[in-house]
Amino acid sequence: MPADPEAAAALTLLSAAAVRERAHRMLALALDDKLPNFRINPEKMDGVVDLVLQTTRDAYPSFEVPFHSRWRHFVANNDNRWAAIADRTQWQNPSARARAEFDLAIVSVFLDAGAGPTWRYRDQNSGLTIGRSEGLGLASLAMFESDVFSANPHDPLRADADVLANLTLSDLERGLQVSSENPLVGLQGRVDLLRRLGQLVASKPDIFGRNDTPRPGGLFDRLAARAENGRLPAPVILSELLQQLGPIWPSRLSLGGIALGDCWKHPALITGDATNGLVPLHKLSQWLAYSLIEPLQTAGIEVIDIDGLTGLAEYRNGGLFIDSGVLAFRHQEDAQREHEVAAPLVVEWRALTVALLDRLAEGIRKRLGLDAVSLPLAKVLEGGSWAAGRRLARERRMDASPPVKVISDGTVF
């Protein structure tokens, strides 16, 4: 631990455990009706359990639900695009494939911070026009396959630090098919984020370049080295992501010189120490942690304690609880206003989402007679809560937008 007490306090916020603990503090305040922006109606949770169960059964009748991860978005019309690419590639060994999959997942997730209601991607393989996360997933995969991120045209399935550090706005505009008629929310923020990713990875060859030139996929070797007897706890994946990649996040809070990432202030969260008022959420990093589980498993590493990660504080899961009536705006006019990501209302909503997802998972497991090992939160999210949130949004608003109007910079949602 650092000698500086503020830096030591900062590190305690860079974990899934901190996200969960502070989210449940926020929920306790809501249950006591002590929050400034939302009221809670816990009696409506049974209806949410019903909806999520039905949504899961519709999508997965056998209840063989995969993990919620980026890999689901590389499937279109039952065509698993990445699996087809990986199967026809001559990998030197399982680690080479894992590094490529880490490269793809990291770049793709960092491009996936919400697309806005109008952007669409035209997929050449299927002819489909697809929006939101699914469209961003297919677009990023097409860019990855066509060596947009590689320094070696003879080795396209990689993302090199130097290439990422020099990406241009036009590079992403071409790959994501952005135009004045097809705008993408927060495009400049995404370009800047990938540039900072490339610069950071290049500056840490001991972390990202152990067995190759520096690339995000070098993190696989770091995590593989942390596995004990071939087993790696999922929260360790998140801790490494937060500690190694923390400095890339823009204009965020820091404590003791340590960047806190997706961590925000809320006046109701009183702790009485250096972390007073701070609410860690780490949405994109946790989405990425979930997305790195399968590459690790494919490489022969058993990932354990998957429920040590939390639900994702994003607008589909969060929208589920507002649109179902579990959460209600204390001031109805707030539903019509636009809110900055750092606004206490947004922080409050996102933290409540994390805690309510835990309660939702408990309710679903109780109905089904399952435990967290047989039905981890990652499967509840996929089955699940995210799809149910989108379903309610489509029913309630023509453009399927979330019930909270958030001004996005392309790096949170």
Side-chain angles (χ1 to χ4, degrees), residues 99 102-104 106-107 144 147-152 155-168 171 191-210 212-219 245 248:
R99 290 183 201 108
F102 268 50
D103 277 341
L104 172 57
I106 291 170
V107 170
F144 188 73
D147 78 10
V148 169
F149 308 113
S150 172
N152 182 355
D155 186 13
L157 301 180
R158 56 185 295 128
D160 287 288
D162 290 344
V163 175
L164 292 173
N166 291 285
L167 277 178
T168 66
D171 289 331
V191 176
D192 293 342
L193 187 66
L194 290 185
R195 286 176 182 160
R196 286 193 296 270
L197 172 66
Q199 293 161 4
L200 180 72
V201 168
S203 73
K204 293 184 173 184
D206 56 322
I207 301 294
F208 296 100
R210 291 183 175 192
D212 203 339
T213 54
R215 53 192 287 202
L219 188 64
L245 300 181
I248 72 173

Side-chain angles (χ1 to χ4, degrees), residues 71 80-105 144 157-158 215 217 220 294-299:
W71 304 102
N80 190 325
R81 303 287 176 78
W82 172 250
I85 294 168
D87 288 347
R88 66 173 180 259
T89 301
Q90 298 295 314
W91 305 104
Q92 292 180 340
N93 50 52
S95 294
R97 173 173 175 167
R99 290 183 201 108
E101 290 178 335
F102 268 50
D103 277 341
L104 172 57
F144 188 73
L157 301 180
R158 56 185 295 128
R215 53 192 287 202
F220 165 76
E294 288 161 81
L296 286 160
Q297 291 174 328
T298 301

Side-chain angles (χ1 to χ4, degrees), residues 111 143 148-149 167-178 184 187-188 190-192 194:
L111 284 172
M143 294 170 72
V148 169
F149 308 113
L167 277 178
T168 66
L169 191 64
S170 60
D171 289 331
L172 285 195
E173 285 177 336
R174 281 193 301 272
L176 300 177
Q177 301 175 357
V178 176
L184 179 69
L187 183 63
Q188 185 64 57
R190 294 168 214 255
V191 176
D192 293 342
L194 290 185

